Amino acid sequence: QITTYDTKFGGFKAELSPWLAGYALALLMGTDTAVGDASPYVHTFTFDESTRTAIPTTLYVEDTEDLHHIYPNMCMDEVTLTINEIGAIMAEMSMVGTGREIAHTITTMPTAPAETYLLGSDADLSFGPVGSPVSFIGRHMSTTLKLQNQLVVHKAPGGGLYGIFVRKGNPKFSLSTTFAAKDTDDVYTLFANDTASDYALTVNSGAAAQMTVSVPAMHLKTTKLGFDGDMTVWQVENDETTNYQAAGVPPISLTVTNDVPAYLVGA
C-alpha cells in the first residue's frame, strides 16, 4: 500500500545567466530588494529570517514524448556557484517538493531567449582587512560558493499522501577560494590573527549582466598551503560560523543586475 509521495529535483547544472542567477537566489534566499525604473534592474538577495516556510514554485518537465508533468510546491534547497578562470560561471541547484505530480502538457512552449552569461574571466575579487581590501586580479584562481536552506518536507496526520508544506532549517553557506601566494604573506596572517576581512567578488559581463558576492566581516576558518603546478597557492575556507553581521549588514548578500523587474511575484 502506498503511504507517501516525495518529489526532488537535483543534478541540475547550467551556465549562469543573469536571469538564472536572480531566479535561483530569490527562491533560495527569500528576500529580493529590487531597484530601478527600467532595465537594468539591481536585485539584492539576503536570507529571509522572518519565516520558516520555504518559497514554492512550479516546475514543468517533459520526459520523452508522452510523459509531461507539472510539479507544484518545489522549493530551492541548495545552490552552488563555481567561478573559474574562463568560461561561464557554473550553477548547480537542487529542489525538494511536497510530492505532488500532475499530468499536463503545455502545447506552445515559450521561445528560449538568447543568453548572455556571467563569465569567470570578468570576476574581480577584492579581499583584505576590513577598511583596506585590495584587488586580487591575477592571484585569484577559483572560488566555490555554496548556499543551503536545509529544507524539510513537513508531513502530518490529515495531509494524505503528500507533504503539507516545505520548512526551512537554519541557512548555511560556505566559501572556498584559492589565491596564488606572493613573496610577502597577506593571507596566513589574517587567519592566525583572526582578522576580520572584507570579501567582495564582483562579476561584470555587461550592463545587465552583473553579480556581486559580498561578505563584510569574514573570518577565515581554514588556510591550506599547496601547489598548482610550480605555483604556491593558498586555499582559504569560511562558512556561516565565521562570517558575522557587520553594523546591521547581513553576513552574506548577493547582488544581481539584469533585465528582470522583480522576482517572487506571482503570475
Side-chain angles (χ1 to χ4, degrees):
Q1 181 175 347
I2 296 174
T3 58
T4 189
Y5 289 106
D6 293 293
T7 45
K8 295 183 179 180
F9 179 71
F12 178 77
K13 188 173 183 179
E15 294 90 348
L16 188 65
S17 69
W19 178 89
L20 183 60
Y23 170 82
L25 294 173
L27 289 176
L28 181 91
M29 302 185 79
T31 300
D32 171 19
T33 303
V35 176
D37 296 324
S39 178
Y41 303 93
V42 179
H43 304 263
T44 300
F45 301 102
T46 56
F47 280 111
D48 182 5
E49 299 178 74
S50 67
T51 178
R52 286 293 193 180
T53 303
I55 296 173
T57 189
T58 298
L59 298 182
Y60 174 70
V61 178
E62 292 188 358
D63 185 8
T64 72
E65 288 295 323
D66 61 340
L67 292 178
H68 301 170
H69 291 91
I70 285 177
Y71 297 89
N73 305 324
M74 300 297 294
C75 301
M76 193 70 72
D77 188 29
E78 183 176 306
V79 173
T80 300
L81 303 179
T82 303
I83 299 101
N84 289 317
E85 70 276 15
I86 59 173
I89 294 171
M90 297 304 298
E92 296 182 65
M93 289 167 276
S94 63
M95 293 179 167
V96 297
T98 55
R100 296 186 181 275
E101 176 188 61
I102 303 168
H104 181 74
T105 297
I106 296 178
T107 55
T108 303
M109 294 290 288
T111 302
E115 296 284 17
T116 297
Y117 296 108
L118 295 165
L119 303 178
S121 53
D122 293 327
D124 179 1
L125 176 62
S126 175
F127 177 71
V130 171
S132 57
V134 297
S135 175
F136 267 59
I137 287 180
R139 295 180 58 196
H140 174 217
M141 310 299 292
S142 65
T143 288
T144 299
L145 169 64
K146 179 179 288 188
L147 304 113
Q148 298 170 280
N149 263 332
Q150 302 195 88
L151 298 183
V152 175
V153 180
H154 181 74
K155 298 183 178 183
L161 301 179
Y162 307 102
I164 297 175
F165 68 96
V166 180
R167 179 180 174 85
K168 294 191 295 185
N170 292 328
K172 293 173 64 67
F173 59 92
S174 61
L175 266 168
S176 176
T177 297
T178 300
F179 306 125
K182 58 182 294 187
D183 53 344
T184 56
D185 172 62
D186 61 353
V187 175
Y188 183 75
T189 301
L190 299 177
F191 169 73
N193 295 337
D194 194 29
T195 302
S197 297
D198 188 342
Y199 182 106
L201 179 61
T202 302
V203 182
N204 186 348
S205 295
Q210 301 175 29
M211 181 179 70
T212 298
V213 180
S214 177
V215 181
M218 171 190 290
H219 291 253
L220 299 180
K221 187 171 186 177
T222 66
T223 56
K224 302 175 184 179
L225 190 62
F227 296 95
D228 183 351
D230 61 354
M231 181 169 53
T232 305
V233 297
W234 286 107
Q235 183 185 24
V236 300
E237 297 174 325
N238 60 290
D239 58 26
E240 76 283 350
T241 67
T242 60
N243 296 266
Y244 305 104
Q245 180 170 291
V249 179
I252 188 170
S253 61
L254 289 94
T255 301
V256 174
T257 301
N258 59 23
D259 60 0
V260 181
Y263 292 94
L264 307 180
V265 178

